[in-house]
Amino acid sequence: MKRTLVVLAALLALIPAGGGAAYAATTEDRESVLVTGAGEVSGVPDLLTANFAVETTATTVKDALDRASAAATRMRDTLVRAGITKADLQTADVSIGSRRDEHEKIIGYSVNQGLTAKIRNMAKAGALMSDAIKAGGDAARLNGVSFAIEDDEALLTEARKKAFANARAKAELYAKEAGRPLGRVVKVSEDAPSLWASGGHKNLAAYDSALAIEPGRQGLTVTVTVEWALGTA
């Protein structure tokens, strides 16, 4: 009780005679302009990721697994002989399923096993993929390809410069319209760079049992938000 009374007395002492609450607050008003700029660049992809797979069926799980393993091994060995490092090969999406008749009785089993390969020699990518599929035989599958620019630092630097220049142009326009000089940069923030496809980079067609690959171009967009202080008119 004594402690409560002491605290209450201290609070009452802060109230001026006029009855208004006494407090101090400081704020710093900053006159500025906040704009967003974007920069876009594009380059030729230097990395192809192929999503291979094998699919087998048999009357027993063991036979289906053995056939899938044999086909996947042949595909993997073909890729390795062509120069693909083991670090660029990865097994994925292994599954075992059953096949049933109209009476829901199990009549066989199916095995699916994925194999992802990163191919950096774009000139030989089509022939290499065709060889891998041929090695897998009728069990081989190709579930799609994707392209990327593995070394994109130079492109990102160019995109960032363009984004900042775009933001500055906007800020200078707004400052001029407001009749104020543009001051120093107060804050800069960047969104995660986005990728986009240009041209037919996903085209994949069979031609005389070989795959024709068109990498097209890969685009990068950088978006920055920049705040400039406004000077005194």
Side-chain angles (χ1 to χ4, degrees), residues 7 16 101 119 149 151 181 193 195:
V7 174
D101 61 16
I119 303 173
I149 299 175
D151 184 7
L195 303 176

Side-chain angles (χ1 to χ4, degrees), residues 183-196:
R184 65 184 179 85
V185 173
V186 176
K187 183 187 299 184
V188 180
S189 63
E190 177 186 300
D191 295 340
S194 60
L195 303 176
W196 46 272

Side-chain angles (χ1 to χ4, degrees), residues 200-222:
H201 82 287
K202 287 189 177 180
N203 288 350
L204 185 116
Y207 180 73
D208 289 341
S209 299
L211 292 171
I213 304 298
E214 295 294 339
R217 296 183 69 84
Q218 187 83 42
L220 293 170
T221 300
V222 170

